[in-house]
């Protein structure tokens, strides 16, 4: 028996070089770990596939959740808002006054408003209380009832005009031209604004 022969092997095995038998642990634990990992992968793939099938048959595109779809719509209103009853331009009498140092503005503005269907009353320079004291494009003066009638209609002709009520008992309205006035709104723009003013509010698409 060689001195390199491991004890207890009875001379059955003899080591003649630099290669000798090694004692290895059983492979049972490694197989269990690999089998567990494979099972997790299979279960994950099966779950993902199930979600895709559910999404396809439910009409979804896979990128939106139920909560996201609910935010795309708004509750339907109980009823469509009816438009307010505004007077037509032919039913409004406008007094045109010039509060600027530029001469001729009252007449040219009154002539243009007449072409657009408004009735024209007085035309001239602004009263002393407003002469050269209107910094904006214009000031509308009228009875309190004009705030929901003549004022909105006349504003479609002059963007940026402010409004103020007084104690008059008549239905006529004053248009006092201010220092920032350049010209009335273009007729096409004013006509579109008039249509939008009398157009009913659109209904909101209901949620499903």
């Amino acid at each position: 028996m060689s001195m390199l022969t491991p004890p207890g092997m009875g001379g059955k095995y003899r080591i003649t070089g630099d290669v000798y038998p090694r004692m290895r642990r059983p492979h049972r634990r490694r197989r269990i770990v690999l089998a567990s990992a494979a099972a997790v992968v299979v279960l994950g793939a099966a779950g993902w596939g199930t979600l895709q099938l559910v999404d396809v048959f439910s009409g979804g595109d896979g990128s939106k959740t139920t909560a996201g779809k609910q935010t795309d719509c708004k509750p339907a209103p109980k009823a469509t808002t009816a438009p307010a009853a505004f007077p037509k331009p032919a039913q409004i009498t406008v007094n045109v006054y010039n509060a600027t140092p530029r001469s001729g503005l009252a007449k040219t503005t009154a002539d243009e408003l007449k072409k657009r269907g408004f009735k024209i009353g007085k035309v001239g320079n602004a009263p002393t209380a407003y002469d050269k004291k209107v910094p904006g494009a214009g000031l509308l003066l009228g009875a309190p009832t004009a705030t929901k009638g003549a004022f909105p209609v006349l504003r479609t002709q002059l963007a940026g005009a402010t409004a103020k009520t007084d104690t008059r008992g008549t239905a006529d309205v004053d248009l006092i031209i201010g220092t920032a006035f350049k010209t009335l709104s273009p007729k096409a723009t004013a006509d579109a604004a008039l249509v939008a003013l009398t157009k009913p509010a659109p209904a909101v698409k209901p949620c499903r």
Side-chain angles (χ1 to χ4, degrees), residues 64-72:
K64 294 183 179 180
T65 62
T66 303
K69 292 179 181 179
Q70 291 177 351
T71 59
D72 293 337

Side-chain angles (χ1 to χ4, degrees), residues 22-112:
R22 296 182 180 180
M23 304 299 292
R24 296 182 180 180
R25 296 180 180 179
H27 296 287
R28 183 177 182 181
R29 181 177 299 177
R30 182 180 299 176
R31 293 176 180 174
I32 293 175
V33 172
L34 293 176
S36 299
V40 171
V41 172
V42 171
L43 290 175
W48 181 82
T50 301
L51 289 176
Q52 293 298 312
L53 289 174
V54 170
D55 190 64
V56 169
F57 285 104
S58 63
D61 58 2
S63 61
K64 294 183 179 180
T65 62
T66 303
K69 292 179 181 179
Q70 291 177 351
T71 59
D72 293 337
C73 60
K74 297 179 181 179
K78 293 182 180 179
T80 301
T81 304
F86 293 104
K88 295 180 180 180
Q91 298 173 315
I92 301 174
T93 299
V94 185
N95 304 313
V96 184
Y97 298 110
N98 183 10
T100 76
R102 294 173 288 170
S103 62
L105 285 181
K107 185 179 185 306
T108 56
T109 303
D111 290 343
E112 182 59 31

